[in-house]
């Protein structure tokens, strides 16, 4: 059940049986010479829809732009500042809390969002308490990072070993290949790929990681691998979401 394809009476009826909602959140940023700029949002959206179907839960609109300031020296990358992303999360949750939603599960596809999301949750709890919205003391927010699922991590290491890297990874590229096989990209990739540098400003990031990859070899990705990652992530995050609803 997708929020944007529902009517308000349908949502009102849904609230009679569940007060939980799933939000996909990702990023719009470079993913190396062969990775789609929308990778993080694409992966989060597909997995969130799968979790929604598996748990008969409402799925909100994808938050496509996240905190990716360090990628903005690469053309096409878009970022929100952390302070703005915090406000976006606050407004999303506040709007729906007024209607009776209490459990917000963010399925995340971008590591750069994690710290900001956790800060946003704290700000939102405080904000809702001050507004004295009914049941605000029962409001819960949680982030589920699909790429950090234990089953996903184990398969990535089994398939790719150290060539999984930490950005523009073969696992996330494989998932986009499964979701959008018509958009598979090819390009020459140097066997030498940068890794181990700190993350600071955007220009420094591009100097440190000239082609955008961080220790990864996305040439190893296949759509068949992507299907495996999808199924594992949907299963693990569905279980986590159902447990979360009991909190």
């Amino acid at each position: 059940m997708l929020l944007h394809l529902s009517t308000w009476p349908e949502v009102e009826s849904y609230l009679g049986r569940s007060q939980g909602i799933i939000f996909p959140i990702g990023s719009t940023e470079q993913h190396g010479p062969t990775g789609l700029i929308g990778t993080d949002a694409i992966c989060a959206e597909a997995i969130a829809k799968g979790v929604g179907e598996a748990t008969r839960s409402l799925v909100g609109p994808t938050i496509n732009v996240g905190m990716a300031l360090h990628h903005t020296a690469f053309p096409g990358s878009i970022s929100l500042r952390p302070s703005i992303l915090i406000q976006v999360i606050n407004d999303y949750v506040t709007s729906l809390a007024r209607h009776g939603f209490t459990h917000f599960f963010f399925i995340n596809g971008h590591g750069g969002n994690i710290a900001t999301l956790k800060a946003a949750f704290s700000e939102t709890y405080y904000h809702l308490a001050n507004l004295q919205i009914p049941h605000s003391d029962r409001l819960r927010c949680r982030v589920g990072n699909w790429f950090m699922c234990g089953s996903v991590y184990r398969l990535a290491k089994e398939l790719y070993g150290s060539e999984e890297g930490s950005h523009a990874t073969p696992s996330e590229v494989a998932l986009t290949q499964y979701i959008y096989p018509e958009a598979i990209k090819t390009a020459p990739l140097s066997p030498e790929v940068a890794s181990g540098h700190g993350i600071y400003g955007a220009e420094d990031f591009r100097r440190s990681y000239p082609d955008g990859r961080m220790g990864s070899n996305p040439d190893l990705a296949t759509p068949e691998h992507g299907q495996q990652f999808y199924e594992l992530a949907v299963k693990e995050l569905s279980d986590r979401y159902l447990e979360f609803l009991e909190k």
Side-chain angles (χ1 to χ4, degrees):
M1 185 177 177
L2 303 179
L3 181 64
H4 70 283
L5 296 182
S6 304
T7 64
W8 73 259
E10 289 175 320
V11 176
E12 189 168 70
S13 176
Y14 171 85
L15 282 165
R17 65 174 177 84
S18 177
Q19 293 76 55
I21 186 168
I22 298 163
F23 273 104
I25 181 169
S27 184
T28 299
E29 63 184 45
Q30 69 83 21
H31 273 78
T34 59
L36 306 180
I37 284 175
T39 290
D40 292 342
I42 290 167
C43 294
E45 181 175 81
I47 292 167
K49 287 180 178 178
V51 173
E53 291 170 3
T55 62
R56 297 181 60 244
S57 299
L58 191 63
V59 179
T62 303
I63 303 171
N64 289 285
V65 178
M67 205 305 288
L69 292 173
H70 51 293
H71 290 292
T72 54
F74 291 87
S77 298
I78 306 172
S79 181
L80 296 177
R81 288 168 288 160
S83 57
I84 301 301
L85 183 55
I86 287 171
Q87 292 179 49
V88 169
I89 300 300
N90 192 335
D91 284 352
Y92 271 48
V93 173
T94 299
S95 296
L96 293 177
R98 293 183 185 276
H99 306 144
F101 286 93
T102 59
H103 285 64
F104 298 80
F105 192 71
F106 291 82
I107 292 183
N108 178 43
H110 174 49
N113 288 338
I114 297 173
T116 303
L117 278 172
K118 291 182 177 180
F121 297 162
S122 294
E123 289 250 6
T124 301
Y125 298 144
Y126 179 76
H127 176 68
L128 289 174
N130 285 340
L131 290 179
Q132 298 183 336
I133 289 178
H135 311 300
S136 62
D137 60 316
R138 295 198 298 110
L139 191 128
R140 304 285 186 268
C141 297
R142 183 168 296 179
V143 58
N145 305 298
W146 79 265
F147 51 91
M148 294 176 70
C149 289
S151 56
V152 168
Y153 179 84
R154 288 189 292 273
L155 180 60
K157 288 303 179 185
E158 176 186 325
L159 292 174
Y160 313 128
S162 62
E163 292 185 278
E164 166 71 352
S166 57
H167 182 67
T169 62
S171 60
E172 60 185 346
V173 170
L175 184 49
T176 63
Q177 290 179 346
Y178 170 62
I179 300 164
Y180 286 112
E182 71 278 13
I184 293 174
K185 310 292 184 179
T186 60
L189 294 179
S190 168
E192 299 297 323
V193 56
S195 64
H197 301 286
I199 297 177
Y200 303 103
E203 297 298 335
D204 180 78
F205 185 96
R206 182 156 182 176
R207 280 194 301 270
S208 297
Y209 300 101
D211 73 356
R213 294 181 295 153
M214 299 176 70
S216 63
N217 181 7
D219 268 352
L220 300 176
T222 70
E224 292 73 25
H225 293 167
Q227 182 175 1
Q228 291 179 267
F229 287 120
Y230 171 81
E231 292 171 353
L232 289 171
V234 167
K235 174 63 170 65
E236 190 163 330
L237 289 173
S238 294
D239 291 343
R240 285 195 207 172
Y241 176 67
L242 291 175
E243 291 173 6
F244 172 58
L245 291 180
E246 301 300 319
K247 303 297 184 181

